[in-house]
Amino acid sequence: MTERDSNTTQANGGDDLDAALRGWAGSFDRPEGETDMSSLVDAINQRLETPLASRVDVAGTSRIIGGLAIAASLLFMAAWGLQRMPRPEAGSVVNVTALQDEDISRQRRLVRGVYDLFGDRLSWLVVSPEGMRMGVDESSEPLDGDSRDAWRRFTGLRLVVVRRQETEEAWETVRELDVLAPLEQLVALDGVRLNQSEVGGQSDLRLWSFLLPDGGVAIDIEGALPVFGVLESGSHVLQPGAVTTIAGATADGWQYRLLQTAVVVDTSSGETGA
Amino acid sequence: MDYRITDDSELVRRRQQLGDDDALAELVRRHYTRVQAIVRPIVVKDAATDDVTQEVFVRVLRGIKGFKQSAEFTTWLHRIAVNACYDFLRRESRRSTESLDMSGPGDIAVDTTPSPSEASSEQELSQQIGHALLRLSPKLRAAISLVVLKGLDAAEAAEIEGCATATMHWRVHEARRKLSKILEFPLQREDASRASKQ
Protein backbone atom coordinates (compact mmCIF):
# COMPACT_ATOMS: atom_id res chain seq x y z
CA MET A 1 0.00 0.00 0.00
CA THR A 2 1.26 3.39 -0.87
CA GLU A 3 0.12 6.79 0.14
CA ARG A 4 1.10 10.32 -0.64
CA ASP A 5 3.52 12.14 1.52
CA SER A 6 1.32 14.78 2.96
CA ASN A 7 3.98 17.20 4.10
CA THR A 8 3.41 19.57 1.26
CA THR A 9 1.39 22.17 3.08
CA GLN A 10 2.85 25.54 2.33
CA ALA A 11 2.45 28.51 4.57
CA ASN A 12 4.43 31.40 3.25
CA GLY A 13 2.75 34.28 4.91
CA GLY A 14 2.62 34.83 8.60
CA ASP A 15 2.84 38.62 8.46
CA ASP A 16 0.84 39.05 11.69
CA LEU A 17 2.79 36.30 13.34
CA ASP A 18 6.12 37.75 12.23
CA ALA A 19 5.07 41.18 13.45
CA ALA A 20 4.11 39.73 16.82
CA LEU A 21 7.42 37.90 17.07
CA ARG A 22 9.32 41.05 16.18
CA GLY A 23 7.31 42.96 18.73
CA TRP A 24 8.20 40.38 21.33
CA ALA A 25 11.90 40.53 20.45
CA GLY A 26 11.85 44.32 20.28
CA SER A 27 10.34 44.59 23.73
CA PHE A 28 13.70 43.58 25.17
CA ASP A 29 15.64 46.26 23.28
CA ARG A 30 17.34 48.83 25.44
CA PRO A 31 18.87 52.09 24.30
CA GLU A 32 22.59 51.72 23.90
CA GLY A 33 23.28 54.17 26.72
CA GLU A 34 21.37 52.05 29.19
CA THR A 35 23.61 49.06 28.73
CA ASP A 36 26.40 49.02 31.26
CA MET A 37 29.30 48.15 28.98
CA SER A 38 31.94 48.19 31.66
CA SER A 39 30.15 45.61 33.79
CA LEU A 40 29.65 43.42 30.72
CA VAL A 41 33.34 43.65 29.91
CA ASP A 42 34.15 42.82 33.53
CA ALA A 43 31.83 39.80 33.46
CA ILE A 44 33.38 38.50 30.24
CA ASN A 45 36.89 39.08 31.56
CA GLN A 46 36.00 37.21 34.71
CA ARG A 47 34.83 34.23 32.67
CA LEU A 48 37.94 34.40 30.53
CA GLU A 49 40.13 34.27 33.59
CA THR A 50 38.37 31.17 34.87
CA PRO A 51 40.14 28.15 33.45
CA LEU A 52 37.86 25.89 31.44
CA ALA A 53 38.87 22.88 33.48
CA SER A 54 37.78 24.38 36.75
CA ARG A 55 34.47 25.49 35.27
CA VAL A 56 33.83 21.95 34.14
CA ASP A 57 35.09 20.52 37.41
CA VAL A 58 32.58 22.45 39.43
CA ALA A 59 29.69 21.00 37.50
CA GLY A 60 31.30 17.58 37.28
CA THR A 61 31.98 17.43 40.99
CA SER A 62 28.46 18.35 41.95
CA ARG A 63 27.17 15.75 39.52
CA ILE A 64 29.41 13.10 41.07
CA ILE A 65 28.39 14.10 44.57
CA GLY A 66 24.75 14.05 43.48
CA GLY A 67 25.26 10.63 41.91
CA LEU A 68 26.91 9.26 45.04
CA ALA A 69 24.11 10.60 47.17
CA ILE A 70 21.52 8.94 44.95
CA ALA A 71 23.49 5.68 44.93
CA ALA A 72 23.76 5.76 48.70
CA SER A 73 20.06 6.39 49.01
CA LEU A 74 19.28 3.48 46.71
CA LEU A 75 21.55 1.16 48.68
CA PHE A 76 19.90 2.26 51.87
CA MET A 77 16.49 1.63 50.42
CA ALA A 78 17.56 -1.75 49.12
CA ALA A 79 18.96 -2.80 52.46
CA TRP A 80 16.28 -1.52 54.78
CA GLY A 81 13.21 -0.52 52.99
CA LEU A 82 12.53 -2.77 50.07
CA GLN A 83 10.33 -5.23 51.87
CA ARG A 84 8.25 -2.43 53.29
CA MET A 85 7.74 -0.58 50.05
CA PRO A 86 4.40 -0.79 48.32
CA ARG A 87 4.07 -3.11 45.37
CA PRO A 88 6.06 -1.77 42.43
CA GLU A 89 3.67 0.88 41.33
CA ALA A 90 6.30 1.86 38.97
CA GLY A 91 5.75 -1.18 36.89
CA SER A 92 7.50 1.88 35.96
CA VAL A 93 10.27 -0.05 34.34
CA VAL A 94 8.68 -1.33 31.21
CA ASN A 95 10.61 -4.12 29.64
CA VAL A 96 10.84 -2.87 26.10
CA THR A 97 14.21 -3.18 24.47
CA ALA A 98 15.82 -0.62 22.24
CA LEU A 99 16.31 -1.42 18.58
CA GLN A 100 18.67 -4.34 18.19
CA ASP A 101 21.34 -4.87 15.56
CA GLU A 102 19.11 -7.23 13.63
CA ASP A 103 16.32 -4.63 13.59
CA ILE A 104 18.71 -2.04 12.27
CA SER A 105 20.07 -4.37 9.59
CA ARG A 106 16.52 -5.13 8.50
CA GLN A 107 15.70 -1.45 8.34
CA ARG A 108 18.81 -0.72 6.32
CA ARG A 109 18.01 -3.48 3.81
CA LEU A 110 14.43 -2.30 3.56
CA VAL A 111 15.41 1.29 2.85
CA ARG A 112 17.91 0.22 0.21
CA GLY A 113 15.38 -2.02 -1.46
CA VAL A 114 12.56 0.51 -1.54
CA TYR A 115 14.91 3.29 -2.54
CA ASP A 116 15.98 1.20 -5.52
CA LEU A 117 12.34 1.18 -6.63
CA PHE A 118 11.29 4.74 -5.86
CA GLY A 119 14.55 6.65 -5.86
CA ASP A 120 14.49 10.25 -4.76
CA ARG A 121 10.73 10.26 -4.42
CA LEU A 122 10.88 8.09 -1.29
CA SER A 123 10.15 10.27 1.72
CA TRP A 124 9.49 7.84 4.56
CA LEU A 125 8.55 4.28 5.45
CA VAL A 126 6.37 2.93 8.21
CA VAL A 127 6.53 -0.74 9.05
CA SER A 128 3.87 -2.39 11.17
CA PRO A 129 2.57 -5.94 11.56
CA GLU A 130 -0.01 -5.21 8.86
CA GLY A 131 2.58 -4.29 6.29
CA MET A 132 4.39 -1.30 5.06
CA ARG A 133 3.33 2.22 4.18
CA MET A 134 5.45 4.73 2.42
CA GLY A 135 5.44 8.41 1.73
CA VAL A 136 6.20 9.21 -1.85
CA ASP A 137 6.88 12.77 -2.84
CA GLU A 138 5.69 13.38 -6.36
CA SER A 139 6.65 17.01 -6.41
CA SER A 140 9.41 17.85 -8.82
CA GLU A 141 11.97 18.61 -6.14
CA PRO A 142 12.70 16.80 -2.91
CA LEU A 143 12.01 18.97 0.12
CA ASP A 144 15.41 18.54 1.58
CA GLY A 145 17.78 18.77 -1.34
CA ASP A 146 19.14 15.53 -2.63
CA SER A 147 17.21 12.62 -1.17
CA ARG A 148 20.12 10.35 -1.78
CA ASP A 149 22.12 12.42 0.66
CA ALA A 150 19.16 12.53 2.98
CA TRP A 151 18.79 8.75 3.04
CA ARG A 152 22.48 8.24 3.60
CA ARG A 153 21.60 8.61 7.27
CA PHE A 154 18.09 8.07 8.47
CA THR A 155 16.25 7.82 11.75
CA GLY A 156 14.80 4.52 12.77
CA LEU A 157 12.11 5.34 15.30
CA ARG A 158 10.12 2.66 17.07
CA LEU A 159 6.87 3.51 18.76
CA VAL A 160 5.53 0.91 21.14
CA VAL A 161 2.20 0.88 22.94
CA VAL A 162 2.14 -1.27 26.07
CA ARG A 163 -0.62 -1.84 28.55
CA ARG A 164 -1.48 -3.70 31.71
CA GLN A 165 -4.49 -4.17 33.91
CA GLU A 166 -4.42 -1.72 36.76
CA THR A 167 -4.15 -4.61 39.18
CA GLU A 168 -1.29 -6.28 37.30
CA GLU A 169 2.43 -5.66 37.33
CA ALA A 170 3.47 -6.96 33.96
CA TRP A 171 3.13 -4.91 30.82
CA GLU A 172 2.25 -6.41 27.47
CA THR A 173 3.09 -4.99 24.11
CA VAL A 174 0.00 -4.27 22.06
CA ARG A 175 1.54 -2.45 19.15
CA GLU A 176 4.88 -1.73 17.51
CA LEU A 177 5.45 0.67 14.70
CA ASP A 178 8.78 1.46 13.03
CA VAL A 179 9.10 4.81 11.31
CA LEU A 180 12.05 5.23 8.98
CA ALA A 181 12.78 8.67 7.62
CA PRO A 182 15.71 10.90 6.80
CA LEU A 183 16.61 13.41 9.44
CA GLU A 184 14.49 16.53 9.22
CA GLN A 185 11.91 14.83 7.02
CA LEU A 186 8.42 15.45 8.27
CA VAL A 187 6.42 12.25 8.50
CA ALA A 188 2.70 12.89 8.49
CA LEU A 189 0.70 9.79 9.28
CA ASP A 190 -3.02 9.65 9.40
CA GLY A 191 -5.09 6.58 9.80
CA VAL A 192 -2.37 4.45 11.31
CA ARG A 193 -3.84 2.27 14.00
CA LEU A 194 -1.79 1.70 17.07
CA ASN A 195 -4.03 -1.08 18.16
CA GLN A 196 -6.60 -3.18 16.37
CA SER A 197 -9.24 -3.44 18.99
CA GLU A 198 -8.73 -2.31 22.54
CA VAL A 199 -7.11 1.03 21.92
CA GLY A 200 -9.38 1.53 18.99
CA GLY A 201 -9.65 4.39 16.59
CA GLN A 202 -7.01 5.82 14.39
CA SER A 203 -4.09 8.12 14.82
CA ASP A 204 -3.01 11.33 13.25
CA LEU A 205 0.66 11.75 13.93
CA ARG A 206 3.38 14.05 12.73
CA LEU A 207 6.99 13.23 13.45
CA TRP A 208 10.17 15.04 12.72
CA SER A 209 13.68 14.16 13.84
CA PHE A 210 16.94 16.00 13.83
CA LEU A 211 20.45 15.56 15.14
CA LEU A 212 21.70 17.52 18.11
CA PRO A 213 25.24 18.86 18.21
CA ASP A 214 26.29 16.11 20.60
CA GLY A 215 25.12 13.38 18.25
CA GLY A 216 21.89 12.74 20.09
CA VAL A 217 18.60 12.61 18.28
CA ALA A 218 15.71 14.89 19.06
CA ILE A 219 12.27 13.91 17.91
CA ASP A 220 9.27 16.14 17.72
CA ILE A 221 6.02 14.25 17.82
CA GLU A 222 2.58 15.74 17.79
CA GLY A 223 -0.89 14.77 16.79
CA ALA A 224 -3.59 12.67 18.31
CA LEU A 225 -3.80 9.09 19.43
CA PRO A 226 -6.90 7.31 20.67
CA VAL A 227 -6.75 6.81 24.42
CA PHE A 228 -3.66 8.99 24.72
CA GLY A 229 -5.45 11.99 23.30
CA VAL A 230 -3.68 14.99 21.88
CA LEU A 231 0.08 14.79 21.88
CA GLU A 232 1.63 18.19 21.71
CA SER A 233 5.12 18.14 22.98
CA GLY A 234 8.45 19.72 22.55
CA SER A 235 11.51 17.80 21.51
CA HIS A 236 12.27 14.48 23.11
CA VAL A 237 15.99 13.99 23.26
CA LEU A 238 16.91 10.40 22.77
CA GLN A 239 20.20 8.75 23.48
CA PRO A 240 21.33 5.46 21.93
CA GLY A 241 19.60 2.54 23.52
CA ALA A 242 17.25 4.70 25.55
CA VAL A 243 13.57 3.88 25.70
CA THR A 244 11.48 6.85 26.67
CA THR A 245 7.91 6.99 27.87
CA ILE A 246 6.22 9.86 26.07
CA ALA A 247 2.61 9.43 27.05
CA GLY A 248 0.47 7.60 29.53
CA ALA A 249 -3.25 7.03 29.83
CA THR A 250 -5.83 4.91 31.58
CA ALA A 251 -8.98 3.54 29.99
CA ASP A 252 -11.43 0.80 30.90
CA GLY A 253 -9.26 -0.54 33.67
CA TRP A 254 -6.16 -0.63 31.51
CA GLN A 255 -3.06 1.47 31.90
CA TYR A 256 -1.40 2.42 28.63
CA ARG A 257 2.05 3.77 27.90
CA LEU A 258 3.44 5.07 24.62
CA LEU A 259 7.17 4.44 24.38
CA GLN A 260 9.69 5.43 21.80
CA THR A 261 13.26 4.52 20.98
CA ALA A 262 15.38 5.59 18.06
CA VAL A 263 18.69 5.14 16.30
CA VAL A 264 20.35 6.90 13.43
CA VAL A 265 21.20 4.39 10.71
CA ASP A 266 24.07 5.03 8.33
CA THR A 267 23.35 3.27 5.05
CA SER A 268 26.77 3.85 3.55
CA SER A 269 28.98 2.50 6.30
CA GLY A 270 26.69 -0.01 7.85
CA GLU A 271 27.16 1.70 11.18
CA THR A 272 24.65 3.22 13.48
CA GLY A 273 24.97 6.35 15.45
CA ALA A 274 22.93 8.68 17.53
CA MET B 1 43.98 54.13 18.35
CA ASP B 2 40.57 54.68 16.86
CA TYR B 3 38.75 51.44 17.60
CA ARG B 4 35.70 52.53 15.71
CA ILE B 5 37.48 51.87 12.43
CA THR B 6 39.26 48.72 13.54
CA ASP B 7 37.85 45.52 12.17
CA ASP B 8 36.37 42.87 14.44
CA SER B 9 39.07 40.24 14.15
CA GLU B 10 41.74 42.83 14.91
CA LEU B 11 39.82 43.81 18.04
CA VAL B 12 39.74 40.20 19.14
CA ARG B 13 43.44 39.83 18.41
CA ARG B 14 44.28 42.94 20.44
CA ARG B 15 42.30 41.66 23.42
CA GLN B 16 43.88 38.25 23.21
CA GLN B 17 47.47 39.22 22.61
CA LEU B 18 47.70 42.56 24.38
CA GLY B 19 44.99 42.21 27.00
CA ASP B 20 43.44 45.36 25.57
CA ASP B 21 40.14 45.84 27.38
CA ASP B 22 39.23 48.82 25.23
CA ALA B 23 39.26 46.50 22.24
CA LEU B 24 36.97 44.12 24.09
CA ALA B 25 34.69 46.99 25.06
CA GLU B 26 34.39 48.03 21.43
CA LEU B 27 33.65 44.45 20.41
CA VAL B 28 30.96 44.21 23.06
CA ARG B 29 29.53 47.58 22.04
CA ARG B 30 29.28 46.46 18.43
CA HIS B 31 27.92 43.00 18.87
CA TYR B 32 26.47 42.35 22.32
CA THR B 33 22.96 43.47 21.49
CA ARG B 34 22.82 41.61 18.20
CA VAL B 35 24.16 38.40 19.76
CA GLN B 36 21.64 38.80 22.55
CA ALA B 37 18.91 39.21 19.94
CA ILE B 38 19.89 35.90 18.34
CA VAL B 39 20.24 34.08 21.63
CA ARG B 40 17.00 35.21 23.29
CA PRO B 41 14.49 33.52 20.96
CA ILE B 42 16.46 30.27 21.16
CA VAL B 43 16.94 30.02 24.91
CA VAL B 44 13.87 32.15 25.65
CA LYS B 45 14.57 32.43 29.35
CA ASP B 46 15.69 35.93 30.16
CA ALA B 47 18.29 35.10 32.79
CA ALA B 48 19.86 32.51 30.53
CA THR B 49 20.06 34.97 27.66
CA ASP B 50 22.71 37.12 29.35
CA ASP B 51 24.59 34.07 30.53
CA VAL B 52 24.73 32.51 27.06
CA THR B 53 25.51 35.83 25.39
CA GLN B 54 28.51 36.37 27.62
CA GLU B 55 29.58 32.80 26.94
CA VAL B 56 29.53 33.61 23.21
CA PHE B 57 32.08 36.38 23.70
CA VAL B 58 34.26 34.11 25.79
CA ARG B 59 34.17 31.52 23.01
CA VAL B 60 34.98 34.15 20.40
CA LEU B 61 37.98 35.33 22.35
CA ARG B 62 39.15 31.81 23.06
CA GLY B 63 38.51 30.53 19.57
CA ILE B 64 39.73 33.32 17.34
CA LYS B 65 42.44 31.01 15.98
CA GLY B 66 39.68 28.99 14.39
CA PHE B 67 38.41 32.03 12.55
CA LYS B 68 39.43 32.16 8.89
CA GLN B 69 40.08 35.62 7.62
CA SER B 70 38.30 34.74 4.40
CA ALA B 71 35.10 34.12 6.32
CA GLU B 72 32.65 36.75 7.42
CA PHE B 73 33.22 37.57 11.09
CA THR B 74 29.55 38.07 11.82
CA THR B 75 28.67 34.70 10.25
CA TRP B 76 31.27 33.08 12.46
CA LEU B 77 29.98 34.99 15.48
CA HIS B 78 26.39 33.96 14.77
CA ARG B 79 27.42 30.33 14.42
CA ILE B 80 29.14 30.45 17.79
CA ALA B 81 26.04 32.09 19.25
CA VAL B 82 23.70 29.39 17.92
CA ASN B 83 26.01 26.60 19.07
CA ALA B 84 26.32 28.15 22.52
CA CYS B 85 22.53 28.12 22.71
CA TYR B 86 22.38 24.45 21.73
CA ASP B 87 24.99 23.58 24.33
CA PHE B 88 23.03 25.42 26.97
CA LEU B 89 19.74 23.77 25.95
CA ARG B 90 21.36 20.36 25.87
CA ARG B 91 22.44 20.79 29.46
CA GLU B 92 18.98 22.05 30.37
CA SER B 93 17.37 19.21 28.47
CA ARG B 94 19.34 16.62 30.41
CA ARG B 95 18.18 18.19 33.62
CA SER B 96 14.57 18.26 32.51
CA THR B 97 14.79 14.71 31.15
CA GLU B 98 15.93 13.59 34.57
CA SER B 99 13.05 15.39 36.24
CA LEU B 100 10.60 14.04 33.64
CA ASP B 101 11.78 10.53 34.34
CA MET B 102 11.20 11.10 38.03
CA SER B 103 7.71 12.40 37.56
CA GLY B 104 6.44 9.73 35.23
CA PRO B 105 4.78 9.68 31.88
CA GLY B 106 1.82 11.88 32.60
CA ASP B 107 3.77 15.05 32.00
CA ILE B 108 3.00 15.64 28.36
CA ALA B 109 2.97 19.35 27.77
CA VAL B 110 -0.56 20.63 27.67
CA ASP B 111 -1.46 24.08 26.54
CA THR B 112 -3.01 25.68 29.57
CA THR B 113 -2.24 29.23 28.55
CA PRO B 114 -5.17 31.38 27.54
CA SER B 115 -5.79 31.95 23.87
CA PRO B 116 -4.65 35.24 22.37
CA SER B 117 -8.24 36.35 22.10
CA GLU B 118 -8.38 36.25 25.90
CA ALA B 119 -5.18 38.13 26.33
CA SER B 120 -5.78 41.75 27.00
CA SER B 121 -2.35 43.22 27.18
CA GLU B 122 0.90 43.19 25.31
CA GLN B 123 2.54 41.68 28.34
CA GLU B 124 0.24 38.69 28.18
CA LEU B 125 0.88 38.30 24.48
CA SER B 126 4.59 38.53 25.13
CA GLN B 127 4.29 35.76 27.70
CA GLN B 128 2.34 33.65 25.29
CA ILE B 129 4.96 34.10 22.61
CA GLY B 130 7.63 33.04 25.07
CA HIS B 131 5.64 29.93 25.99
CA ALA B 132 4.99 29.17 22.34
CA LEU B 133 8.66 29.44 21.43
CA LEU B 134 9.52 27.04 24.22
CA ARG B 135 7.28 24.46 22.58
CA LEU B 136 9.36 24.49 19.41
CA SER B 137 12.48 22.44 18.98
CA PRO B 138 15.74 24.40 19.33
CA LYS B 139 16.40 24.17 15.60
CA LEU B 140 13.05 25.68 14.79
CA ARG B 141 13.62 28.44 17.31
CA ALA B 142 16.99 29.14 15.74
CA ALA B 143 15.33 29.35 12.33
CA ILE B 144 12.87 31.90 13.68
CA SER B 145 15.67 33.81 15.35
CA LEU B 146 17.91 33.98 12.31
CA VAL B 147 15.43 34.35 9.48
CA VAL B 148 12.32 35.99 10.89
CA LEU B 149 13.84 38.11 13.62
CA LYS B 150 17.39 38.69 12.46
CA GLY B 151 16.26 39.05 8.88
CA LEU B 152 18.90 36.82 7.35
CA ASP B 153 17.99 35.09 4.15
CA ALA B 154 17.62 31.33 4.26
CA ALA B 155 20.99 30.74 2.58
CA GLU B 156 22.84 32.81 5.18
CA ALA B 157 20.99 31.12 8.02
CA ALA B 158 21.71 27.73 6.47
CA GLU B 159 25.42 28.55 6.33
CA ILE B 160 25.37 29.40 10.02
CA GLU B 161 23.52 26.20 10.84
CA GLY B 162 25.51 24.05 8.44
CA CYS B 163 22.45 22.74 6.66
CA ALA B 164 20.96 22.95 3.18
CA THR B 165 19.10 26.11 2.23
CA ALA B 166 16.02 24.01 1.55
CA THR B 167 16.24 22.65 5.06
CA MET B 168 16.27 26.16 6.46
CA HIS B 169 13.22 27.07 4.37
CA TRP B 170 11.52 24.01 5.77
CA ARG B 171 12.42 24.86 9.34
CA VAL B 172 11.04 28.37 9.01
CA HIS B 173 7.89 27.02 7.44
CA GLU B 174 7.44 24.45 10.15
CA ALA B 175 8.20 26.91 12.95
CA ARG B 176 5.68 29.42 11.60
CA ARG B 177 3.08 26.73 11.18
CA LYS B 178 3.48 25.53 14.74
CA LEU B 179 3.56 29.01 16.23
CA SER B 180 0.46 30.00 14.29
CA LYS B 181 -1.32 27.00 15.67
CA ILE B 182 -0.21 27.53 19.24
CA LEU B 183 -0.86 31.27 19.22
CA GLU B 184 -3.97 31.01 17.05
CA PHE B 185 -2.54 33.44 14.56
CA PRO B 186 -3.88 32.93 11.06
CA LEU B 187 -1.17 32.81 8.48
CA GLN B 188 -1.68 35.47 5.85
CA ARG B 189 -1.25 33.32 2.84
CA GLU B 190 -1.81 29.70 3.42
CA ASP B 191 -1.76 27.41 0.52
CA ALA B 192 -3.01 24.37 2.31
CA SER B 193 -3.07 22.37 -0.82
CA ARG B 194 -2.11 18.85 -0.26
CA ALA B 195 -0.55 17.20 -3.22
CA SER B 196 -2.81 15.25 -5.44
CA LYS B 197 -3.89 11.93 -4.08
CA GLN B 198 -2.70 8.80 -5.64
Side-chain angles (χ1 to χ4, degrees), chain A residues 2-4 6-18 20-22 24-25 27-28 32 37 40-41 43-45 47-48 50-52 55 138 143-145 184 186 190 206 208 210-211 213-214 220 222 230-235 237 245-248 257, chain B residues 15 21 24-25 28-29 32 40-41 46 51 54-55 57-58 61-62 86 90 93-94 105 108-109 126 129-130 133 135 137-140 144 148-149 164 166-167 170-171 173-174 176-181 183 185 187-198:
Chain A
T2 301
E3 72 179 26
R4 288 264 331 136
S6 58
N7 62 11
T8 51
T9 301
Q10 298 294 317
N12 301 317
D15 294 352
D16 289 347
L17 175 67
D18 289 1
L21 289 168
R22 290 192 189 104
W24 173 82
S27 68
F28 297 97
E32 194 175 303
M37 288 296 161
L40 285 176
V41 169
I44 293 166
N45 273 330
R47 284 170 176 245
L48 275 167
T50 309
L52 271 178
R55 291 165 69 197
E138 290 182 343
L143 278 167
D144 195 8
E184 307 207 11
L186 181 77
D190 51 8
R206 286 171 296 284
W208 195 56
F210 51 93
L211 270 181
D214 67 350
D220 281 5
E222 66 169 29
V230 174
L231 300 178
E232 276 201 275
S233 62
S235 299
V237 179
T245 304
I246 58 172
R257 296 288 184 268
Chain B
R15 169 59 183 79
D21 275 350
L24 174 58
V28 169
R29 189 192 65 74
Y32 195 88
R40 179 171 283 112
D46 207 33
D51 187 47
Q54 288 172 21
E55 180 65 22
F57 281 85
V58 170
L61 292 167
R62 285 210 167 107
Y86 290 155
R90 193 169 63 242
S93 162
R94 281 181 184 143
I108 294 297
S126 176
I129 288 173
L133 284 168
R135 290 173 62 181
S137 65
K139 297 261 178 187
L140 295 190
I144 287 290
V148 176
L149 299 176
T167 301
W170 178 249
R171 287 179 187 170
H173 161 88
E174 197 56 14
R176 279 190 174 127
R177 188 184 68 77
K178 287 187 173 185
L179 287 173
S180 299
K181 188 176 166 194
L183 294 167
F185 265 89
L187 290 173
Q188 293 292 301
R189 274 187 304 126
E190 182 161 327
D191 171 14
S193 61
R194 289 167 69 117
S196 57
K197 300 281 180 188
Q198 268 195 341

Side-chain angles (χ1 to χ4, degrees), chain A residues 43-118:
Chain A
I44 293 166
N45 273 330
Q46 202 171 359
R47 284 170 176 245
L48 275 167
E49 285 160 13
T50 309
L52 271 178
S54 68
R55 291 165 69 197
V56 171
D57 279 352
V58 171
T61 303
S62 59
R63 224 174 281 133
I64 290 166
I65 291 170
L68 287 173
I70 292 168
S73 302
L74 290 173
L75 282 171
F76 178 82
M77 283 169 62
W80 299 99
L82 201 55
Q83 296 302 319
R84 307 177 66 173
M85 287 174 68
R87 300 295 291 169
E89 136 59 38
S92 45
V93 181
V94 177
N95 188 24
V96 170
T97 56
L99 289 157
Q100 304 296 305
D101 286 347
E102 62 191 71
D103 298 315
I104 296 162
S105 297
R106 197 182 319 118
Q107 291 179 349
R108 191 184 289 119
R109 284 196 304 273
L110 182 63
V111 165
R112 281 181 181 151
V114 180
Y115 185 85
D116 283 346
L117 289 173
F118 290 91

Side-chain angles (χ1 to χ4, degrees), chain A residues 237-248:
Chain A
V237 179
L238 300 180
Q239 298 301 330
V243 178
T244 312
T245 304
I246 58 172

